[in-house]
């Protein structure tokens, strides 16, 4: 990496940040808005009414504005919390609404119909705690507040899992999510198209996408806002959704809590399948999750603090997560030792680390005649599940947040959170590891955030933000493995030794380790909201700098895969140094470390136009630019205009030296409206119906895993591979591996990108109608659509021509080169859905949310570049409904008794976790809390093998 160029980029960005500050631009926000309209008794607009909002949690936080000619007002940049709204006008009684909940990234509506009288008279009303009509924009969004966070079951303790209760959000199979943390698809888009924020600041894993910092302390979180369609131009970085996690702040009241959650295998029933196998006890597995919170005023009405810490300690036997393997028994080891001296036999025994096959599944593997022609005894093998090497998993998360009301016009916020975790041995990822060859996983993550909000006038608020985040995660050898003398030996796979579930161990430390990533993100944001007449403008930019240190999983120690062949078993071929028929030898030469630098710039402008009291229009334009990651490599990209076979060129490796071109055309318009009809009152009601629509263009980001794939394949790295033919395969396999060369081969496998690779583009649109119903219910009926263009796909630019040579190898279109996999923008998708949502926010002891989605989605891949292939496409048609196993309907219910003060909760969730689906036998779970105790972090039972017990205490107002 060119350090001088990087320094220049940083200087340029700092200068841009100064310009941003001076021009008062706006970026992604964690704050909320109060909007509304003011009328007189005749329904006419009241011009110039004074609107004052006061944060009752902080006491000293107030904001004031005046209504425009349409009687409308809007106050942006409000810290999430509870507010009182006061409206005063000459000749009218004062109107006061108390308990207005301001939510992150969303608008809360307070309308007032003033009564003739004097200002020393007032009318006070209590804000509705029910769901609210969204009267200000055409976006689709949902807010998950304290009731949901406390009282709905969260399997992994990550509050983002509650996004599955939102219409259009679909859980993905692990093989399809391909992201870090909670993976989901929103309205037919890919999981990698989601954008994750904490307090409005970046929390994305830029390696594979998903969340960088995985929040598992529910008590640290105030709320989660999920934007799913046609959101405003201040949000970007993905065409799927935006999920914004808001941390709690201190208030004028002291409050705190403490908790302990125990998950213990001793309290769990033995699974039925284990019982049938004669197992009477569960493997030992004990987990304790405990922590505390504390918050309050350092100086009343001025300085506030909130802090929390949580520890998670799990201890488990290896048998809780390891596979059953097929290995030589004690007798088999004696047979192998009788063959010494033989370096491969010695290596095999050393790899076992003292582990021996058991007395079940016993069989013999024949060795046939030795090299001297003398017969050899068979090797006895048996099933064994590793029991030594107990699992120790430790995690600690803590955070602290300070809010300072420096003056009536200035608010400062500091926030810091950190997570330190480690699991060793890592049997979750390596369940077939042998003793002495274990891996571990872990690393620290932290984020520092600062914001300064300054009120310039009653019509203008500026907010400056900065954050620095570091995300480190490494999969590597344990200290015991590092001390193992065979650590740097090639890994061996002997395919005779298949366990009962089809698993075979790696003899030698597994290939592809160590691997991991270390990312440092610097983010600069500045924000201005300015109201002129009926327009509220936001002009903005978001600048992020990312330094990267990725460690890719390359096979730099080499691997030999041994199979049966030539009349010999795989074990016999290994002992005699053959690969067997169809076996292979491979090794990669090159550095696993990549050090790119990434800069992103995203200016935008947004106008919210109150055309009338009951009609708002949103107009916005965003621009996004991302620097060229791949140009940090010697061979960054391929000019795909060369076509199939690259024009028959033999220019290797120069043909792969094309520079990546920047994508400079990513303009993203946004438009939407919200209309509250005030006619046909018997049908629409009085301000009880909203008709809304929205449209926008959004762009996904390139992620560093794409770069890593290019960096670890030819010609940036050299992979030497031999695939064995018939008979006993390749002889002297270990010597062949040792003789591999680091010289690039034109026929090596290439993974690269198109030089003109663009950011994927998504069109989002919706048309919906919301209706307030009796009982504080809101019914939303929506048509939702998305169209994905320029989606990432991998295409073969040198496929086979349908012919084979004398050795059975594929003859390619360009015989001068090997297989060439190129990431292009050849994918396309379309999604249409009808969505129904019935929502009742928590009030009078009851919360309810139900969402039903009926959708059709199609994902189309381009025509194959191989003439032997046809068009490949994948079409899915799905409905989601109650209790259907594959057609889930999301539902959440909570009811709180006014007499005992405790919640009898999640009637629909006592069987299984969201999305609601038909449970498997034995997966039911029950959690019991003492009356009056706060809800606790909860974790679903792992494979139905444990039961959770919880205790809690709380102090302060409830």
């Amino acid at each position: 990496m060119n350090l001088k160029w990087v320094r220049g980029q940083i200087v340029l960005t700092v200068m841009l940040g100064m310009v941003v500050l001076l021009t008062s631009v706006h970026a992604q926000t964690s704050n909320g808005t109060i909007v509304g309209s003011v009328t007189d008794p005749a329904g006419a607009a009241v011009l110039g009414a004074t609107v004052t909002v006061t944060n009752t949690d902080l006491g000293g936080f107030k904001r004031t504005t005046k209504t425009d000619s349409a009687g409308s007002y809007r106050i942006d940049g409000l810290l999430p919390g509870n507010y009182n709204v006061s409206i005063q006008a000459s000749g009218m009684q004062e109107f006061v609404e108390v308990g207005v909940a301001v939510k992150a990234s969303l608008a809360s509506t307070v309308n007032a119909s003033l009564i003739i009288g004097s200002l020393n008279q007032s009318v006070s009303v209590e804000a509705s705690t029910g769901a609210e009509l969204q009267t200000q924009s055409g976006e689709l969004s949902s807010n998950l507040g304290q009731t949901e966070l406390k009282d709905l079951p969260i399997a992994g303790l990550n509050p983002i899992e509650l996004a599955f209760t939102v219409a259009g959000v679909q859980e993905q199979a692990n093989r399809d999510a391909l992201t870090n943390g909670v993976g989901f698809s929103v309205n037919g888009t890919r999981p990698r198209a989601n954008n994750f924020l904490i307090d409005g600041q970046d929390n994305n894993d830029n390696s594979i996408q998903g969340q960088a910092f995985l929040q598992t302390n529910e008590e640290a979180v105030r709320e989660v806002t999920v934007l799913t369609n046609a959101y405003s131009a201040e949000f970007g970085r993905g065409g799927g959704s935006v999920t914004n996690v808001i941390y709690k702040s201190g208030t004028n009241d002291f409050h705190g809590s403490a908790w302990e959650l125990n998950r213990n295998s001793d309290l769990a029933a033995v699974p039925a399948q284990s019982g049938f196998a004669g197992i009477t006890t569960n493997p030992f597995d004990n987990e304790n999750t405990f922590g505390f919170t504390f918050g309050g005023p350092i100086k009343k009405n001025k300085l506030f603090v909130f802090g929390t810490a949580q520890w998670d300690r799990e201890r488990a036997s290896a048998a809780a997560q390891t596979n059953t393997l097929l290995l030589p028994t004690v007798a088999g080891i004696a047979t192998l030792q009788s063959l010494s001296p033989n370096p491969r036999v010695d290596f095999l025994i050393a790899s076992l680390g003292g582990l021996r096959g058991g007395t079940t599944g016993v069989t013999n593997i024949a060795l046939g005649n030795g090299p001297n022609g003398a017969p050899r005894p068979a090797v006895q093998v048996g099933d064994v599940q590793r029991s030594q090497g107990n699992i120790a998993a430790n995690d600690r998360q803590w955070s602290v947040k300070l809010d300072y009301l420096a003056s009536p016009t200035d608010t400062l916020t500091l926030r810091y959170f950190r997570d330190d975790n480690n699991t060793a041995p890592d049997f979750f990822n390596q369940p077939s590891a042998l003793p002495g060859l274990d891996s571990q996983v872990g690393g620290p993550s932290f984020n520092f955030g600062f914001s300064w909000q300054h009120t310039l006038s009653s019509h203008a608020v500026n907010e400056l933000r900065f954050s620095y985040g570091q995300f480190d995660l490494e999969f590597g050898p344990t200290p015991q493995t590092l001390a193992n003398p065979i650590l740097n030996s090639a890994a061996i796979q002997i395919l005779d030794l298949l366990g009962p579930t089809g698993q075979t161990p790696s003899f030698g430390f597994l290939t592809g380790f160590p691997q991991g990533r270390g990312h440092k993100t610097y983010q600069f944001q500045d924000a201005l909201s300015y109201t002129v007449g009926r327009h509220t403008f936001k002009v903005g930019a978001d600048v992020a700098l990312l330094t990267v240190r990725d460690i890719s999983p390359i096979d730099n120690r080499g691997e030999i895969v041994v199979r049966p062949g030539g009349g010999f078993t795989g074990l016999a071929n290994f002992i005699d140094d053959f690969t067997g028929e169809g076996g292979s030898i491979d090794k990669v030469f090159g550095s696993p470390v990549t050090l790119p630098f990434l800069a992103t710039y995203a200016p935008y402008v947004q106008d919210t136009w109150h055309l009338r009291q009951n009609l708002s229009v949103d107009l916005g334009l965003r621009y996004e630019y991302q620097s060229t990651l791949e140009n940090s490599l010697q061979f960054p990209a391929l000019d795909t205009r060369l076509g199939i076979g690259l024009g028959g060129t033999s220019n290797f490796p120069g043909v792969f030296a094309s520079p990546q071109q920047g994508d400079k055309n990513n303009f993203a318009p946004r438009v939407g409206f919200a209309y509250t009809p005030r006619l046909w009152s018997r049908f629409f009601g009085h301000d009880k119906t909203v008709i809304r629509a929205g449209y926008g263009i959004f762009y996904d980001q390139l992620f560093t895993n794409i770069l890593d794939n290019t960096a670890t394949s030819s010609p940036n790295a050299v992979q030497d591979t031999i695939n064995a033919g018939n008979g006993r395969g390749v002889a002297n396999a270990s010597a062949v591996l040792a003789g591999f060369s680091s010289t690039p081969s034109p026929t090596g496998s290439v993974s690269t990108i198109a030089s003109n690779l663009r950011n994927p583009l998504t069109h989002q649109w919706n048309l919906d109608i919301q209706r307030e119903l009796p009982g504080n219910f809101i019914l939303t009926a929506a048509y939702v659509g998305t169209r994905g263009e320029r989606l990432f796909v991998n295409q073969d630019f040198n496929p086979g021509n349908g012919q084979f040579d004398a050795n059975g190898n594929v003859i390619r279109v360009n015989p001068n080169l090997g297989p060439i996999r190129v990431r292009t923008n050849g994918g396309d998708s379309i999604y249409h859905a009808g969505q129904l949502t019935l929502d009742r926010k928590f009030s009078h002891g009851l919360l309810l949310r139900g969402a039903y989605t009926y959708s059709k989605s199609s994902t189309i891949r381009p025509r194959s570049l191989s003439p032997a292939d046809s068009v490949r496409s994948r079409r899915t048609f799905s409905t989601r409904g109650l209790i259907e196993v594959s057609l889930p309907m999301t539902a959440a219910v909570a009811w709180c008794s006014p007499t005992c003060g405790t919640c009898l909760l999640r009637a629909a969730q006592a069987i299984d976790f969201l999305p609601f689906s038909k449970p498997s036998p034995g997966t039911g779970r029950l959690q019991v809390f003492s009356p009056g105790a706060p809800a606790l972090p909860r974790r679903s039972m792992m494979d139905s093998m444990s039961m959770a017990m919880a205790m809690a205490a709380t102090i302060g107002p409830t």
Side-chain angles (χ1 to χ4, degrees), residues 511-515 552-557 588-592 711-713 717:
T511 60
F513 283 81
Q515 60 176 284
S552 301
I554 69 172
D555 182 12
N556 55 11
R557 289 176 282 111
V588 177
F589 297 87
S591 172
T712 55
S713 74

Side-chain angles (χ1 to χ4, degrees), residues 72-96:
S72 300
Y73 70 92
R74 181 183 181 97
I75 301 179
D76 286 304
L78 299 178
L79 300 174
N82 297 307
Y83 284 76
N84 291 343
V85 179
S86 169
I87 301 175
Q88 296 179 334
S90 177
M92 301 288 180
Q93 296 182 20
E94 180 185 14
F95 172 89
V96 178

Side-chain angles (χ1 to χ4, degrees), residues 642-667:
L642 294 172
I644 297 174
L646 310 190
T649 182
S650 58
N651 179 21
F652 179 89
V655 71
F656 301 105
S658 296
Q660 179 189 0
Q661 303 168 14
D663 188 0
K664 300 178 181 179
N665 299 308
N666 293 338
F667 292 93

Side-chain angles (χ1 to χ4, degrees), residues 160 182 184 191 194-198 201-204 210-211 243:
I160 293 177
V182 182
F184 49 83
N194 296 322
N195 181 15
F196 295 94
L197 310 174
I198 292 181
Q201 296 170 319
D202 186 85
N203 184 40
N204 291 283
Q211 303 110 64
T243 301

Side-chain angles (χ1 to χ4, degrees), residues 810-834:
V810 173
I811 298 177
R812 300 189 176 275
V813 172
N814 184 346
N816 300 314
L817 301 173
I820 302 171
R821 187 182 66 171
V822 183
R823 189 170 297 240
T824 70
N825 294 114
D828 186 271
S829 70
I830 187 73
Y831 172 91
H832 300 282

